[in-house]
Structures are given as structure tokens and as C-alpha cells.
Amino acid sequence: MAIDVLTIELTKLENAWWGALPDRDWVRARGYMRDDFSITTAGWIDAPVGADDWLASVAGRYQLERFAYDDVVVRRYGDVAVVQSRSHQGGTMKDTGEPWSETFRYTDVWVLDATLGWQIAVRHAGIRR
């Protein structure tokens, strides 16, 4: 099955967004996120939070050292695209220095802005067990 252009584009954006996290480049990461961004995490934040609160939580919680997306499925609805994916991640916990590794499932909602291009609006994360 051929991968369409939008799947390639949004997969690149997902990777670029998360590529800022190992570098701890919060400004670059924030640039991919809409002002009204909201995330539900896979357990450590029990209610949806906005971009700045989530990035602050990530900064204080762990150092992401590696990630890879696969099993990416994209559906477009006009100026909105829904991306479902799997991500294998690992790094170091900030408080203990212990290594961690998890596989997550994400559902992301990207919105096409006439000026800014595609920006992520909503992410729902779940841990794959």
C-alpha cells in the first residue's frame, strides 16, 4: 500500500515536534502546537492540560533520549487531520536518574492554519500494554 503525501508530511511534523524534546528546545516544540493545544497523557497528568503546562511537566519529569513512530494512519477532514500512531520511546527519569522505556499509542488532531500551516491541536496518549 502506497503512503500518501499527507501521511508523509504529518509524520515528518510529528518527528520534528518530538525531535525538539531530546534537545529540550521547548520554544521549538511549542511552535508546532496551537495556542489552544490540549493533551491527555498516559497517566501522569490526570486531566487535559495546555501546551505550556505540558511542556513544563515534561521538562521536570524526564529526559527523552529516543523515540520512533510507526504504524501511522492519517485521515483528513478538510482542514483537520487525525493521526493515529505508535511510538517507542526511552530516556531517563529526572528525579531518580533511572532509565525508562515505553510504547505509546497516540491520537493526534492537526489543524491546517492558512498562515502557520499544520499545527497540532489535540493529543491523546495511551500506554500500550
Side-chain angles (χ1 to χ4, degrees):
M1 177 168 83
I3 297 177
D4 66 272
V5 173
L6 184 61
T7 298
I8 293 168
E9 180 180 2
L10 289 175
T11 300
K12 285 181 181 178
L13 285 171
E14 295 267 359
N15 279 293
W17 176 37
W18 272 67
L21 299 182
D23 297 338
R24 303 184 73 74
D25 188 341
W26 312 121
V27 173
R28 183 167 46 113
R30 182 66 174 86
Y32 292 95
M33 304 157 81
R34 287 177 50 94
D35 288 341
D36 62 351
F37 173 86
S38 176
I39 185 170
T40 53
T41 68
W44 90 81
I45 300 172
D46 67 353
V49 297
D52 297 328
D53 288 340
W54 177 69
L55 288 171
S57 180
V58 169
R61 183 172 173 80
Y62 64 86
Q63 172 67 48
L64 179 66
E65 295 163 359
R66 64 191 176 285
F67 70 94
Y69 284 102
D70 65 7
D71 198 17
V72 178
V73 176
V74 176
R75 292 176 182 85
R76 185 171 185 169
Y77 306 96
D79 289 343
V80 174
V82 177
V83 179
Q84 293 175 300
S85 64
R86 179 175 48 209
S87 178
H88 308 281
Q89 302 173 15
T92 305
M93 297 303 296
K94 295 287 285 180
D95 58 349
T96 65
E98 293 293 317
W100 64 270
S101 180
E102 289 285 352
T103 298
F104 297 92
R105 279 285 185 182
Y106 293 123
T107 301
D108 295 335
V109 178
W110 288 81
V111 176
L112 184 58
D113 180 276
T115 305
L116 301 172
W118 289 103
Q119 288 195 299
I120 189 158
V122 177
R123 169 167 270 196
H124 172 78
I127 294 177
R128 185 174 157 244
R129 300 269 182 217

